[in-house]
Structures are given as structure tokens and as C-alpha cells.
Amino acid sequence: MPRPPDRRPRFTPAQRRAHRATAALMLVCLATAACLYLPPLSQLVGRRRLLATVHEWSGLLLPVPLLLALATRAMRRDATRLGRFTAADRDWLRALRRRSPHRPAGKFNAGQKLYAQWTLGTILVMLGTGLLMWFTHLAPAVWRTGATFVHDWFALAVAVVVAGHLRMAARDPEARRGMRTGSVERDWAAREHPQWTEEGQPAGAERRTETAGRG
């Protein structure tokens, strides 16, 4: 079925599957962590050993969807975008502080880049500290104590940041639709990501090209 002319491709199927799998694993990690560390939930759910096992394995699997998606060219291209801060991103942050509606952004804005970088760094920290806690023979007791402290506080920070991410997603239905279907409205793309280029063409270039061809 041909794509409607008023929509623009944003994410490939591999990217969308990676996002869903990562989100599911992250939510499992947070839910099991809450049941393990909050006494009321721990007593309500029970089966602590099973919860610990699910928590450990979901944490170990957390980087896997991203690593698999990086086998695709589209994911590697977007990873490069997410890891690179530009002058437009600094302007976006300044516009955010001024609450200006005109915020320059490419395919990803500065907030999305910061969230992606935070998430990647957090996954690595949580994975490393979790391994020290799980395999007790890997390090002396003082290291494991420090790892537990870092793991617990990072888990709290992750819960807060994920809640903020979900809140932002709830306020932007077109962004959610783009992650669900892989395409977004061209008007939304031009408004929210005016500097977004795809294969070297600026946002809206396809429409201008089609119009010129019909003329």
C-alpha cells in the first residue's frame, strides 16, 4: 500500500522494534526493582527469588535490541545524529529556557539527544554495577558495596527520567504515531524539526520536487 503523500518516513521497522523491546525491558527492570526494594510491594508480590532472576536477566538483555538494530544503516545513521551536538542544539536549549516556540532542530532535538545519551550511559552503568552485585567473586566487598549504592541511586534517577519521557510522549501524539507507524505528518516534521534532512534533502524538499515535476 503506498504511503500517503502528506506523511514522511521517520523510523524503520528495525528501529521501532528495538525501541519497543528496550522500553519493555526497561519497564520490567523498574517494576521488578520496585518489588525488590519497596517492602509493601515485596510483601504483596512475594516470590523474591523469581523477581530477582527476572530483574537480572532483563538487565542483561537491555543492550541487546540496540546492538541488533545497529546492524542496520538507518540505525547507525540515527546513532550518529543522536551523538552529535550542533549549534542548532544549543539554540534549541536557549529557546527552551526562554519558552520560545521557535526551536531549531534536525531529526532529533537537543532534548531527545540528551535523553538518548543519558539512557545509553545509564544502561552501561547499571549493567556494570549489576554484574558486580550478581557475581560476588568479581570484586572485593568494598567494591560491591559501592556498586550497590550507585546501582540503587541510578535506578531512582532512571525511574524519574523515564516518567518524564513518558509524560513528554503523552503530550505529543504525532511523535508517538511516528514511533508506532514509522512515519509522521510533514507539517509536524516541518514545525518540530525544521532542519531535519533525509538523504541530503531538507524537510519538505520531496514535496517541492513533486510540485515542480507536476508543473
Side-chain angles (χ1 to χ4, degrees):
M1 181 177 180
R3 188 182 304 278
D6 61 338
R7 300 191 66 79
R8 183 178 184 189
R10 183 163 174 83
F11 297 114
T12 66
Q15 290 175 304
R16 302 201 304 274
R17 286 192 290 267
H19 182 268
R20 291 167 189 164
T22 302
L25 289 168
M26 181 68 77
L27 291 176
V28 170
C29 283
L30 291 173
T32 52
C35 292
L36 288 169
Y37 286 100
L38 298 178
L41 286 178
S42 182
Q43 294 174 5
L44 178 65
V45 177
R47 308 194 69 174
R48 185 175 182 84
R49 184 61 256 171
L50 175 61
L51 286 173
T53 300
V54 173
H55 181 77
E56 292 161 355
W57 281 102
S58 60
L60 283 176
L61 293 173
L62 199 52
V64 173
L66 174 61
L67 293 175
L68 292 176
L70 284 173
T72 67
R73 183 179 303 173
M75 190 64 181
R76 292 194 299 272
R77 187 165 55 240
D78 279 354
T80 300
R81 288 186 174 111
L82 288 167
R84 182 181 300 157
F85 251 68
T86 66
D89 295 316
R90 291 188 287 272
D91 291 341
W92 189 93
L93 291 172
R94 284 193 288 268
L96 180 66
R97 289 196 297 269
R98 296 193 301 265
R99 297 187 179 183
S100 170
H102 304 293
R103 302 171 187 173
K107 183 174 183 179
F108 303 104
N109 62 43
Q112 292 166 330
K113 291 181 179 182
L114 288 174
Y115 178 77
Q117 294 168 13
W118 153 264
T119 301
L120 178 59
T122 299
I123 288 175
L124 295 176
V125 170
M126 298 295 281
L127 183 61
T129 54
L131 288 173
L132 289 177
M133 295 163 59
W134 190 7
F135 299 102
T136 56
H137 62 281
L138 292 179
V142 64
W143 286 25
R144 297 196 301 272
T145 301
T148 302
F149 177 83
V150 172
H151 196 88
D152 291 351
W153 280 102
F154 260 78
L156 179 60
V158 168
V160 172
V161 173
V162 167
H165 179 66
L166 294 176
R167 180 173 178 271
M168 293 296 293
R171 295 169 59 183
D172 195 340
E174 187 59 27
R176 297 199 312 272
R177 190 176 298 112
M179 185 55 71
R180 188 176 67 253
T181 67
S183 66
V184 293
E185 292 181 356
R186 292 184 185 275
D187 290 342
W188 179 90
R191 181 178 67 253
E192 299 293 334
H193 302 271
Q195 297 176 340
W196 173 17
T197 61
E198 189 66 28
E199 301 299 337
Q201 291 191 359
E206 301 95 329
R207 177 181 292 177
R208 292 194 297 271
T209 300
E210 292 171 1
T211 302
R214 287 194 297 269

